[in-house]
Amino acid sequence: MVSESLELERRHGANNYHPLPVVISTASGAYVTDEDGRRYLDALAAYSAVNFGHGHPRLIEAARRQLDRVTLTSRAFHNDQLGHFCAELAELCGMDRVLPMNTGAEAVETGIKTARKWGYEVKGVPDGQAEIIVADGNFHGRTTTIISFSDDPSARDHFGPYTPGFVRVPYGSVEAIAAAITPNTVAVLIEPIQGEAGVVIPPEGFLQSLRRLCNQENVLFIADEIQAGLGRTGRTFACDHEDVRPDLYLLGKALGGGIVPVSAVVGRDDVIGVFGPGQHGSTFGGNPLACAVGREVIAMLGEGTYQANAAALGERMKQRLDAAVLPGVKEVRARGLWLGIERTDAEPPARRFCEALLTAQAPGPAGPAGLLAKDTHETTIRLAPPLVITAEEADWIVDQLVAVLAA
Ligand SMILES: *Cc1c(COP(=O)(O)O)cnc(C)c1O
């Protein structure tokens, strides 16, 4: 069946994405259903924005309750959700203060502004000279400043002039970061696991060493946990795997429960405290609907069951994939329910395998008819199923992958 929406999108939408050919019309839990009634297990979960599955009853209820009360006030006034949201998120992070925004890119921009202002006003860097160290292969969003320090040509080319003040070094090397630090360095901005790069996990001990280095050098450690955080890796934060707490957490994606865009920068008093009235803000940031949904997300994470399920099933999937004979596969990287399956060759591209997974076969009449996964960088198939999947569903995902990779 030809989808009217797809045709209209092709004709009238900007062509800035290359979606797999599935037109989703409804979703529930780990499953989505397309316009023709085909079911798919959603093993991408909107790049971790749907960590709790589609339409989780607790999140829908929290949103519905708030829809009937008040949705948007602007920060010209207080609302009765914001204070609770900030307090509860700060506690989850072991921090003092929260600066709420909407999208992930805005959280990253806010982190950059925080670090620069801290550098000038607390560290004493000469005005206009602040430097921030970032990593090769980074993905932090799409604003002009953020793409200024990307090394992905499609993200960057022809969008200059670029924002200065960033130094890029190889990912996972504390030595390279140490060598790049100058008296003007205010922060190291890093993904504790690189998501868009293909679930790239740094060498063991990297986060600990980076924490020590940043302490020694009086440089802020900013962890972009927008995709890695909030349960995805089997812990609340990816930094938890090395018992490390950064100076700033950047959060987004799952914080909005898959319902509304909610992001935040979370840090100590002495860092977030650099902001005064009028120096930063957002019309929608901290709105009561976002805060109500965010509070329910925080409460759910406080129970620990999503993290535990992600840890157990991620380990199970990783073990089964490692034990399977997967022709052409160079490496399976996994941390919790976040997997990158990297092929040796870019031919056929990883997208072909994702297309094949769309027509994977159902195990029974009630089972899914296909599997949604997404390629990244030609060679990697990335999986990030909702943290609510069962062991049977985890096994089914592995079976489909093994079948498609072997074909
Ligand atoms: C998705 C993502 C962002 C940007 O978030 P948006 O909501 O798309 O702006 C930033 N950093 C990381 C690590 C991400 O995965």
Side-chain angles (χ1 to χ4, degrees):
M1 198 168 97
V2 176
S3 162
E4 190 183 358
S5 175
L6 191 151
E7 282 307 312
L8 290 169
E9 182 184 328
R10 286 199 175 135
R11 239 179 301 145
H12 299 292
N15 191 27
N16 57 331
Y17 275 92
H18 185 27
L20 288 159
V22 176
V23 182
I24 295 166
S25 52
T26 61
S28 177
Y31 297 94
V32 303
T33 303
D34 74 9
E35 288 184 313
D36 300 330
R38 272 182 77 82
R39 285 177 93 218
Y40 304 84
L41 198 159
D42 179 3
L44 180 66
Y47 305 98
S48 286
V50 185
N51 271 2
F52 307 99
H54 296 275
H56 192 290
R58 283 181 66 175
L59 297 170
I60 294 292
E61 178 51 31
R64 192 166 279 145
R65 248 185 288 126
Q66 192 58 40
L67 279 172
D68 287 335
R69 297 180 69 242
V70 58
T71 52
L72 183 62
T73 57
S74 86
R75 296 289 301 274
F77 313 101
H78 300 282
N79 73 68
D80 67 9
Q81 295 298 306
L82 177 61
H84 295 282
F85 171 73
C86 292
E88 288 156 15
L89 184 56
E91 192 191 347
L92 185 78
C93 296
M95 295 285 195
D96 303 316
R97 283 185 191 274
V98 171
L99 202 166
M101 298 294 284
N102 312 283
T103 65
E106 287 174 308
V108 175
E109 289 277 352
T110 303
I112 291 167
K113 287 174 73 174
T114 308
R116 286 179 170 184
K117 206 164 194 302
W118 174 87
Y120 301 131
E121 296 176 2
V122 179
K123 182 168 176 171
V125 171
D127 196 41
Q129 301 296 308
E131 292 165 11
I132 294 175
I133 297 171
V134 298
D136 291 349
N138 71 71
F139 180 85
H140 297 285
R142 300 293 196 170
T143 66
T144 36
T145 286
I146 294 171
I147 59 93
S148 293
F149 55 85
S150 169
D151 58 0
D152 176 352
S154 59
R156 187 184 148 88
D157 286 358
H158 292 170
F159 295 119
Y162 302 110
T163 305
F166 299 93
V167 180
R168 202 152 32 71
V169 302
Y171 183 66
S173 167
V174 169
E175 296 72 26
I177 293 171
I181 288 178
T182 75
N184 293 339
T185 304
V186 297
V188 177
L189 167 61
I190 211 93
E191 296 161 86
I193 294 176
Q194 289 189 322
E196 294 309 298
V199 192
V200 176
I201 302 168
E204 209 183 316
F206 169 69
L207 299 172
Q208 283 261 355
S209 312
L210 179 58
R211 178 66 279 180
R212 272 195 301 274
L213 178 68
C214 288
N215 287 350
Q216 276 161 21
E217 301 285 345
N218 194 25
V219 163
L220 298 179
F221 175 173
I222 307 178
D224 181 345
E225 294 249 13
I226 290 165
Q227 195 169 155
L230 308 182
R232 172 56 54 195
T233 66
R235 303 289 298 271
T236 303
F237 301 107
C239 286
D240 293 345
H241 289 278
E242 292 196 16
D243 291 320
V244 158
R245 189 177 296 156
D247 297 298
L248 290 176
Y249 283 110
L250 310 182
L251 304 175
K253 293 204 164 100
L255 191 56
I259 299 175
V260 277
V262 186
S263 69
V265 177
V266 189
R268 293 186 311 272
D269 268 328
D270 60 306
V271 183
I272 302 276
V274 297
F275 285 110
Q279 295 170 352
H280 192 57
S282 159
T283 304
F284 284 87
N287 72 75
L289 178 60
C291 289
V293 173
R295 289 181 69 189
E296 198 63 33
V297 166
I298 296 159
M300 288 163 72
L301 285 169
E303 294 169 5
T305 51
Y306 298 95
Q307 296 90 320
N309 198 50
L313 295 188
E315 187 55 34
R316 181 184 176 111
M317 289 175 74
K318 164 91 167 118
Q319 277 178 9
R320 289 198 61 214
L321 284 165
D322 282 342
V325 182
L326 302 172
V329 170
K330 182 169 146 194
E331 187 179 37
V332 177
R333 297 182 289 267
R335 185 65 53 88
L337 277 174
W338 209 17
L339 297 95
I341 297 139
E342 183 168 347
R343 298 188 67 260
T344 311
D345 292 324
E347 242 349 284
R351 183 179 171 94
R352 293 285 164 277
F353 296 93
C354 295
E355 286 166 353
L357 288 166
L358 293 178
T359 56
Q361 280 313 302
L371 178 63
L372 301 188
K374 187 76 172 91
D375 52 296
T376 179
H377 294 285
E378 302 288 305
T379 52
T380 302
I381 303 164
R382 177 224 332 238
L383 295 172
L387 313 184
V388 299
I389 61 167
T390 62
E392 291 69 37
E393 287 164 335
D395 288 346
W396 183 82
I397 293 170
V398 171
D399 293 343
Q400 306 319 306
L401 274 171
V402 169
V404 158
L405 284 163

